[in-house]
Amino acid sequence: MALTVFILRLAVCILAFPMYLLDFLGLWNWICKQWFPYFLARFTVMYNKQMESKKQELFSNLREFTGPSGKLSLLELGCGTGANFKFYPSGCQVTCVDPNPSFEKFLIKSIAQNRHLQFERFIVAAGENMHQVATGSMDVVVCTLVLCSVKNQEQILQEVCRVLRPGGAFYFMEHVADKPSTWNYFWQQVLDPVWHLLFDGCNLTRESWKALKQARFSKLKLQHLQAPLSWELVRPHIYGYAVK
């Protein structure tokens, strides 16, 4: 099986040679950073439509983590186009972090469409180093479809724990690797290298639940799900929340 995966990977990589050449020349990363927000703006419309009930379920108890100030301070990690904004409760104070500055104009549009929120600021930074966010300053951190593409999941989760106040919560919804016995997992392995390059560092075969279980949370509520999505490769999901 491993040999079959290797041969098919090689064939796919040959077909994707122009992308690898642009990457070698140092051009692909710039191209990807420019076009990816436009792709994500379209993808998240479809994703939200197909996952709306699950997102509503996931975020249904956000108000329970409102801090002493009486207002919910929320940090969205890898905010993208602001696709989660409509699921947040009224009056929520939202801070956004994303390493790609090209998302800002999409965020401005999302903010205009979600006047029930109080937008604080957009920080251009990687989640592994959010030094601009004060320690213990957030009631909630949200991360959806982000752990698949970060460089260091453990470091990200350490930063999440740092910025959360005691008793604060980390909400997540992520696509993950399928069960090893499935054909879907087979094709995830085959396509992973090209997928990683095409979709701005996204990985199909990450077992993100392992990092969450090893992180320093006092409580973890995690569920596995076969999401009702059109793209079978990203149907395996985990979602839930963890309390610091």
Side-chain angles (χ1 to χ4, degrees):
M1 185 65 75
L3 180 60
T4 305
V5 169
F6 174 77
I7 293 171
L8 288 173
R9 269 188 178 181
L10 184 61
V12 172
C13 288
I14 290 171
L15 291 172
F17 176 74
M19 281 197 305
Y20 282 97
L21 178 60
L22 288 171
D23 189 48
F24 176 76
L25 295 173
L27 298 173
W28 180 252
N29 185 60
W30 180 85
I31 294 171
C32 196
K33 294 297 183 189
Q34 297 302 313
W35 81 263
F36 190 65
Y38 291 92
F39 161 77
L40 201 61
R42 291 179 174 271
F43 173 78
T44 51
V45 171
M46 177 271 291
Y47 186 85
N48 271 356
K49 183 178 180 180
Q50 296 177 340
M51 295 293 287
E52 184 168 12
S53 63
K54 288 300 176 184
K55 281 197 173 184
Q56 288 173 341
E57 175 191 338
L58 175 64
F59 297 127
S60 63
N61 68 335
L62 275 174
R63 285 193 181 278
E64 294 179 11
F65 295 98
T66 301
S69 68
K71 288 195 174 182
L72 183 70
S73 295
L74 185 150
L75 172 71
E76 180 153 359
L77 176 59
C79 56
T81 60
N84 290 324
F85 287 178
K86 69 176 185 177
F87 299 101
Y88 298 156
S90 180
C92 182
Q93 297 175 323
V94 179
T95 299
C96 294
V97 173
D98 201 288
N100 189 347
S102 298
F103 277 117
E104 186 169 13
K105 63 181 178 182
F106 294 92
L107 275 179
I108 292 170
K109 182 179 178 181
S110 291
I111 292 161
Q113 294 170 344
N114 292 275
R115 296 293 187 183
H116 66 290
L117 302 178
Q118 181 180 332
F119 183 71
E120 297 293 309
R121 56 178 172 154
F122 173 51
I123 301 169
V124 179
E128 290 91 343
N129 182 12
M130 298 185 289
H131 65 272
Q132 302 96 323
V133 183
T135 299
S137 61
M138 293 293 160
D139 300 315
V140 168
V141 176
V142 173
C143 174
T144 61
L145 302 182
V146 172
L147 293 179
C148 58
S149 59
V150 299
K151 293 181 179 179
N152 189 318
Q153 290 185 334
E154 290 74 19
Q155 194 171 339
I156 286 271
L157 295 174
Q158 287 176 11
E159 275 290 87
V160 167
C161 287
R162 181 186 67 79
V163 302
L164 279 175
R165 64 168 176 79
F170 173 58
Y171 284 74
F172 56 89
M173 179 176 281
E174 300 287 337
H175 75 82
V176 293
D178 211 335
K179 295 178 181 178
S181 58
T182 63
W183 276 110
N184 195 35
Y185 181 70
F186 172 81
W187 287 109
Q188 283 178 331
Q189 288 182 295
V190 170
L191 297 172
D192 191 53
V194 171
W195 186 279
H196 180 270
L197 188 62
L198 182 60
F199 293 110
D200 200 19
C202 178
N203 295 273
L204 289 169
T205 56
R206 283 199 171 168
E207 299 174 331
S208 301
W209 62 89
K210 293 183 177 179
L212 286 162
K213 289 178 179 178
Q214 293 171 0
R216 297 184 293 107
F217 294 112
S218 62
K219 174 185 176 182
L220 175 63
K221 183 179 179 181
L222 183 152
Q223 298 182 62
H224 286 260
L225 163 74
Q226 283 293 325
L229 298 173
S230 304
W231 294 8
E232 187 171 353
L233 286 168
V234 293
R235 284 180 187 170
H237 269 55
I238 57 171
Y239 72 109
Y241 64 94
V243 179
K244 179 178 174 182

